[in-house]
Amino acid sequence: MIQDSQQQAYDRAITIFSPDGRLYQVEYAREAVKRGTASVGVRASDGVVLGAYKRVPNELMEAENVEKIFQIDEHIGAASAGHVTDARKLIDILRREAQVNRASYQEPIGTETVVRRLCDEMQKYTQQGGVRPFGVSVIVGGIENGEPRVFETDPSGSFYEWRATAIGENSAEIRENFEANYEEDIPTDEAVALAYEAVEESNDDITPESFEVAVVETDDECFTELSADEVRELVE
């Protein structure tokens, strides 16, 4: 009984490490991310591609209200997987940091800088009592000094830069597809098709209409969402 009560203490409290050095609540937050539909990020030779599978649970629901990809600044976008409400909170933080930087320094914020500030905020929720970690991961892609960059955040507050990555449902399978098919010099139009095909292999019911895509190209450094017809054309 004593051992069970100790196990529950490690299990329920975010501020207590287990004897083997684990924070169970952070691990549970990662499991919440895995239950969300997949989102991907691909660094192309001439930009960044963000893709997300939108699963609409009911035919009566307006599909446009299911958001998985967000504009952060003119040159930065983000895609999420996990709890939608947690994602909305993190997107607000990203947008605020981008706006504050423009107002303070009259220049766009760096992609790595905005990700670092977001993860600083996420990390606070892993060491304070009375709160829980964010049950969401975010892929942030943008152009920094003329170069495309893609980052992935973790509920623990850590982040990593990737050439191609995936979060959410079947993310391991999608990454394996990227490892087999990704090339450094891939252009954005082919990156869109690569992202779609990687997600399609692990989700049979996906269609171009349910796959949300945004591109940030190095030429204009402008965040642009593609229509379903544009996605279908690139895939075909």
Side-chain angles (χ1 to χ4, degrees):
M1 292 296 293
I2 295 176
Q3 186 176 1
D4 291 341
S5 63
Q6 289 177 339
Q7 178 67 35
Q8 289 180 357
Y10 304 134
D11 189 72
R12 295 175 181 173
I14 188 59
T15 58
I16 301 177
F17 283 98
S18 70
D20 55 352
R22 299 161 62 185
L23 288 173
Y24 286 111
Q25 291 297 317
V26 172
E27 295 185 14
Y28 296 156
R30 293 190 182 118
E31 290 299 319
V33 174
K34 293 178 182 179
R35 293 176 180 272
T37 54
S39 292
V40 298
V42 180
R43 187 179 74 191
S45 60
D46 56 347
V48 169
V49 172
L50 297 171
Y53 173 33
K54 299 194 305 180
R55 182 181 289 138
V56 181
N58 192 294
E59 294 181 357
L60 297 178
M61 182 181 293
E62 288 287 352
E64 290 77 9
N65 288 338
V66 181
E67 286 187 287
K68 294 269 293 178
I69 291 181
F70 309 86
Q71 181 174 359
I72 305 304
D73 203 341
E74 292 178 358
H75 63 301
I76 298 176
S80 68
H83 284 289
V84 176
T85 51
D86 287 10
R88 193 162 58 238
K89 174 66 175 179
L90 295 187
I91 294 303
D92 287 344
I93 293 173
L94 284 167
R95 287 171 172 168
R96 183 175 66 245
E97 291 293 339
Q99 292 168 4
V100 168
N101 193 86
R102 280 188 180 272
S104 301
Y105 305 107
Q106 287 74 53
E107 64 180 14
I109 195 168
T111 309
E112 182 174 355
T113 300
V114 74
V115 171
R116 189 177 299 275
R117 293 179 184 174
L118 172 67
C119 288
D120 286 345
E121 187 69 19
M122 295 176 71
Q123 193 273 337
K124 293 179 184 177
Y125 286 78
T126 68
Q127 62 179 30
Q128 296 179 1
V131 298
R132 64 164 176 80
F134 288 95
V136 65
S137 286
V138 180
I139 296 175
V140 181
I143 308 300
E144 184 171 357
N145 298 323
E147 296 294 328
R149 306 189 72 180
V150 174
F151 294 89
E152 175 191 334
T153 71
D154 181 80
S156 66
S158 60
F159 67 92
Y160 304 94
E161 185 170 8
W162 294 77
R163 292 187 289 273
T165 187
I167 54 178
E169 188 178 35
N170 301 320
S171 58
E173 297 176 20
I174 298 172
R175 285 201 191 104
E176 288 179 3
N177 188 295
F178 286 152
E179 290 173 5
N181 299 295
Y182 175 81
E183 297 177 358
E184 288 279 358
D185 58 349
I186 187 172
T188 52
D189 55 350
E190 293 183 16
V192 172
L194 174 65
Y196 179 87
E197 290 168 1
V199 178
E200 183 185 36
E201 282 196 6
S202 58
N203 295 276
D204 296 335
D205 57 342
I206 188 174
T207 65
E209 287 73 23
S210 63
F211 191 66
E212 190 176 7
V213 177
V215 175
V216 186
E217 296 184 337
T218 54
D219 289 343
D220 54 9
E221 298 189 9
C222 183
F223 176 94
T224 305
E225 286 197 59
L226 304 185
S227 67
D229 290 339
E230 289 174 313
V231 174
R232 183 179 295 278
E233 181 180 352
L234 290 174
V235 169
E236 292 178 350

